[in-house]
Amino acid sequence: MTFKKYIFKNLWLQVVISLIVGLSVGLILGDDVGMGIDDENLDFATSYLKIPASIFVSLIYMIIVPLIFSSIVVAVNSLGTTEKLKTLGLGVASYFVITTTIAILVAVFLASFIAPGNILDISALQESYDLSDKDMKINEGFSLDDIPNAVANIIPKNPITSYLEGQMLSILVFALIIGLSMTAIPKESSKPVLDLLESIQKITLHILLFSMKIVPFAVFGLIVGMVSKIGLESMAGLGVYMITVVLGLGIMLSVYLIILKLVAKRPISQTFSKFRNPQTVSFSTASSMATMPVTLKTAEEELKIDNRVSKFVIPFGTTVNMDGTALYQVIAVFFLAQLFSIELSPLAILVIIITSLLASIGTPAVPGAGTIVLSTILITVGIPPVGILLLLSVDRILDMIRTMVNVTGDLTACCVFDKITRNKIIDKK
Ligand code: ASP
């Protein structure tokens, strides 16, 4: 494959290139080291450069609700399909909720402690992107008085109103209730709706993959604007944000080591070295779904997991268990909240925790999906989703690492449930 073809095939490389070119053009246009073009002309140029970004944000708004709704219902139904394993299913689901909650709490701690968003100046984004007042409108923070209302509103009285008003948490809870109810009724009754939702999921995913093609241009416009007006230091916060995410993901890997040792009772280094193949594939593809065949093979052939366990835990985990993604999403939300100077009250943090738990279940296991689904949490807390573009400019490397953590989490779960169920299944033989 020629280098040109390689670039065309790899979106992440296009984003990296547009980031570098955007940085250079921004420096040339700006007055730090470059030509120092006057503000009026610069504003004119940026107003054109921001067109791809606006199109991208609109496309994401358009598909996010059907995408995440269908993904959650389909994911929950994958739990119900394996009738025989219903008991194992509940145990595995609870385990996934626990590990994802640990990941989220690690993220809340790191993001509050390091506060990466306080380093980058909001004016950088505001000025360069010429955000309208509407974009910058920040929802009122939550207060204690809001708790009764907030709790009551989580269950949507009218799902259509929740949709129209962008009450994402209610939509996620609605999806969960529908998904769980579908597993409780006979399969022939739920199948038509499941088929329809699977089809909606595929269609919206297709639009998502298509809209990702705009990202290199959107990132280029955003970065040129930021760097030309503010200079290179505007990018420093992004570095600290990336370090915070990588640190959090490293902590999650250590949590898995502890679980392997204490719960699965496996030798740490020997087991971890057997994770190597799926870890490498997930790192290079940034997709847990694409890695799934290798993950399954490793679980059965290298880790000698009972295949009744692996055949359930790996596909189910690939779809719903994304500790790396949840951790990343929470750090990203805090980063953007700090960037937009949005005070996060304890209730808002609680809402972020619940929303990100559900959002990570609804994140499709494909490259970059975690960042798109992030818009769900941003809308809930009232953070302008345009900030996503800033994150997308440095997303690929974080996506590779968090996908590797997602897959490691699934393999660890396999080891845990192999240990827990081994005796039970053997007893039943
Ligand atoms: N790429 C991730 C995965 O496939 C999802 C994400 O974007 O976080 O697991």
Side-chain angles (χ1 to χ4, degrees):
M1 201 187 316
T2 62
F3 188 58
K4 208 164 127 194
K5 271 199 188 144
Y6 187 74
I7 295 178
F8 270 110
K9 270 197 78 180
N10 287 285
L11 181 74
W12 66 270
L13 197 56
Q14 296 165 22
V15 176
V16 171
I17 293 173
S18 58
L19 178 67
I20 297 169
V21 178
L23 279 174
S24 324
V25 174
L27 282 176
I28 293 170
L29 297 180
D31 45 14
D32 264 4
V33 284
M35 310 171 347
I37 285 194
D38 65 81
D39 279 357
E40 208 177 308
N41 285 327
L42 207 52
D43 284 345
F44 181 74
T46 21
S47 69
Y48 275 83
L49 288 177
K50 76 172 194 192
I51 294 176
S54 308
I55 295 175
F56 175 75
V57 171
S58 302
L59 280 171
I60 296 308
Y61 260 108
M62 186 177 88
I63 57 156
I64 193 66
V65 172
L67 172 67
I68 196 157
F69 182 87
S70 54
S71 299
I72 290 189
V73 175
V74 171
V76 172
N77 271 274
S78 68
L79 165 71
T81 48
T82 325
E83 278 300 317
K84 279 180 290 175
L85 288 168
K86 248 194 170 149
T87 6
L88 177 63
L90 279 183
V92 175
S94 318
Y95 170 89
F96 285 162
V97 170
I98 294 171
T99 50
T100 308
T101 309
I102 295 175
I104 291 173
L105 294 179
V106 169
V108 170
F109 173 75
L110 283 181
S112 326
F113 186 68
I114 302 178
N118 290 342
I119 296 163
L120 191 70
D121 187 359
I122 175 65
S123 58
L125 192 64
Q126 234 165 330
E127 277 186 40
S128 70
Y129 196 68
D130 188 21
L131 291 169
S132 65
D133 288 349
K134 193 173 133 280
D135 284 331
M136 291 304 298
K137 193 176 145 282
I138 285 163
N139 286 0
E140 302 277 302
F142 294 87
S143 77
L144 274 183
D145 296 344
D146 298 326
I147 293 187
N149 247 342
V151 174
N153 283 341
I154 282 185
I155 310 258
K157 271 199 245 26
N158 182 345
I160 309 274
T161 315
S162 307
Y163 183 0
L164 295 179
E165 291 179 357
Q167 294 159 358
M168 284 304 198
L169 186 51
S170 307
I171 295 170
L172 298 182
V173 172
F174 179 53
L176 201 62
I177 294 174
I178 296 284
L180 287 172
S181 310
M182 282 169 68
T183 63
I185 61 173
K187 230 175 162 187
E188 50 296 355
S189 311
S190 62
K191 189 160 182 314
V193 176
L194 190 59
D195 286 346
L196 175 70
L197 288 171
E198 270 171 358
S199 161
I200 292 180
Q201 189 192 25
K202 282 193 188 126
I203 295 168
T204 44
L205 212 50
H206 181 80
I207 300 176
L208 168 69
L209 294 180
F210 170 77
S211 56
M212 293 298 278
K213 293 198 193 322
I214 307 172
V215 170
F217 304 99
V219 165
F220 173 76
L222 184 81
I223 300 299
V224 169
M226 280 181 62
V227 175
S228 59
K229 292 192 175 171
I230 313 294
L232 262 187
E233 77 270 23
S234 62
M235 304 300 290
L238 274 179
V240 183
Y241 149 75
M242 290 173 78
I243 293 171
T244 314
V245 176
V246 174
L247 193 64
L249 293 172
I251 295 179
M252 259 339 268
L253 288 178
S254 335
V255 170
Y256 297 142
L257 290 181
I258 297 172
I259 294 177
L260 279 175
K261 177 89 195 147
L262 300 184
V263 188
K265 308 260 190 263
R266 291 207 178 217
I268 296 183
S269 56
Q270 221 181 325
T271 313
F272 226 64
S273 68
K274 290 182 178 155
F275 288 2
R276 213 174 22 226
N277 275 343
Q279 282 176 333
T280 320
V281 177
S282 54
F283 185 79
S284 44
T285 60
S287 166
S288 330
M289 194 55 90
T291 314
M292 200 169 82
V294 186
T295 318
L296 208 53
K297 192 165 181 280
T298 302
E300 287 168 10
E301 290 175 13
E302 306 262 339
L303 297 162
K304 309 275 179 246
I305 306 275
D306 185 317
N307 66 13
R308 283 166 293 187
V309 172
S310 61
K311 288 218 161 43
F312 176 70
V313 175
I314 298 294
F316 184 44
T318 303
T319 334
V320 304
N321 182 40
M322 297 196 184
D323 300 343
T325 299
L327 179 137
Y328 152 78
Q329 286 172 333
V330 172
I331 294 183
V333 172
F334 271 72
F335 171 68
L336 291 178
Q338 289 155 0
L339 195 66
F340 288 104
S341 311
I342 298 177
E343 222 19 83
L344 294 176
S345 67
L347 181 60
I349 295 176
L350 190 66
V351 171
I352 293 176
I353 292 175
I354 302 171
T355 316
S356 52
L357 188 64
L358 295 175
S360 71
I361 296 175
T363 303
V366 297
T371 312
I372 306 303
V373 170
L374 182 65
S375 56
T376 330
I377 317 175
L378 298 183
I379 296 170
T380 312
V381 203
I383 300 170
V386 69
I388 281 186
L389 276 170
L390 195 61
L391 307 180
L392 273 173
S393 66
V394 291
D395 192 54
R396 178 64 187 198
I397 181 73
L398 297 181
D399 194 8
M400 292 160 86
I401 307 175
R402 69 179 182 254
T403 307
M404 194 252 281
V405 171
N406 289 343
V407 169
T408 309
D410 296 338
L411 284 166
T412 307
C414 250
C415 296
V416 168
F417 282 89
D418 185 56
K419 169 86 189 146
I420 293 177
T421 58
R422 193 161 278 274
N423 295 339
K424 282 190 199 160
I425 291 178
I426 288 168
D427 286 349
K428 279 187 193 151
K429 266 188 184 172

